[in-house]
Amino acid sequence: MGHSSYDPVEQSPAWNAGKKLGAKRPLKPKEIWEIRFMLDREHRLRDRALFDLAIDSKLRGCDLVKVRIGDLVSGGRVRNRAMVIQQKTKRPVQFELLEPARTSLLAWLERRGGSLENYAFPSRVDRLDHLSTRQYSRLVEEWVSGIGLRKEDYGTHSLRRTKAALIYKQTGNLRAVQILLGHSKIETTVRYLGVEVEDALTLAEATEV
């Protein structure tokens, strides 16, 4: 039997019911080291390596979980620089791996074992598959709440934005951040970082011609 326009209709909740919308906050340097200390204290070797890779690589979650051992390792050593093809844009993006990330990745990969073709962070359900983006998201929530941050304010994009936001704050170089994030348009980078008119005017005032 159908419903009239006056019948109360039970509606399922919207997908974003109860969720905080908008850009997630990047982490501050102090918070990065607090998470690292917590993961080391709890001997979470995989999580420490995943966290460090997320910060340095600035990759989207869908790309991060699909990184293979061969993307990170060459000649038995963790690369100083690596490159992956982005799933969203199909374009290559390069990233640096600094000493903390190289150290934690090497420790994890030695324990993990496997061949160069294997995913660096395998699924616990199927060792030949990669960690799911849903599980990665849950881990990020654990990490931030573990140091007393509100998990509603942070997400996987927080880790992608963290180093990019710090680089922009220190240099004001949007083009460099655009390249590092793998954005095809500078406008995307501006929106992603939340660059406001005041930021743009400050940069302009500091540039003499």
Side-chain angles (χ1 to χ4, degrees), residues 37-198:
F37 179 79
M38 178 191 70
L39 296 177
D40 287 345
R41 183 186 64 221
E42 297 176 359
H43 307 291
R44 296 168 68 173
L45 198 60
R46 181 204 63 174
D47 287 12
R48 171 64 197 269
L50 181 62
F51 176 75
D52 285 344
L53 179 61
I55 294 294
D56 273 4
S57 70
K58 302 165 287 292
L59 290 172
R60 298 177 181 87
C62 61
D63 294 321
L64 182 72
V65 298
K66 293 178 182 176
V67 169
R68 297 179 186 270
I69 295 175
D71 296 326
L72 304 173
V73 173
S74 177
R77 300 179 62 182
V78 177
R79 302 172 188 267
N80 292 331
R81 293 182 180 180
M83 182 178 71
V84 300
I85 303 297
Q86 299 173 100
Q87 177 178 300
K88 182 175 181 179
T89 65
K90 311 303 180 187
R91 294 159 61 98
V93 63
Q94 294 189 66
F95 54 89
E96 74 291 350
L97 291 170
L98 301 185
E99 192 277 334
R102 294 198 303 271
T103 299
S104 61
L105 281 167
L106 182 60
W108 161 245
L109 293 175
E110 286 180 342
R111 175 186 291 182
R112 186 240 183 279
S115 67
L116 296 178
E117 292 76 26
N118 291 144
Y119 293 110
F121 301 96
S123 165
R124 288 182 175 175
V125 177
D126 180 358
R127 297 288 293 179
L128 295 179
D129 200 1
H130 57 76
L131 181 77
S132 70
T133 52
R134 183 180 295 273
Q135 178 62 13
Y136 172 47
S137 179
R138 284 196 289 261
L139 287 171
V140 173
E141 289 185 354
E142 284 183 22
W143 300 340
V144 297
S145 60
I147 62 167
L149 299 177
R150 282 169 41 90
K151 64 181 181 181
E152 295 83 5
D153 295 333
Y154 298 85
T156 58
H157 268 280
S158 295
L159 275 59
R160 173 163 159 79
R161 293 183 66 214
T162 290
K163 200 165 186 179
L166 289 172
I167 292 170
Y168 173 70
K169 184 176 181 180
Q170 292 174 7
T171 68
N173 191 330
L174 276 173
R175 174 57 179 161
V177 176
Q178 177 194 3
I179 293 171
L180 293 170
L181 289 174
H183 288 158
S184 57
K185 296 181 180 179
I186 196 74
E187 292 84 357
T188 304
T189 308
V190 170
R191 290 195 301 271
Y192 195 80
L193 291 179
V195 177
E196 303 292 345
V197 173
E198 187 63 31

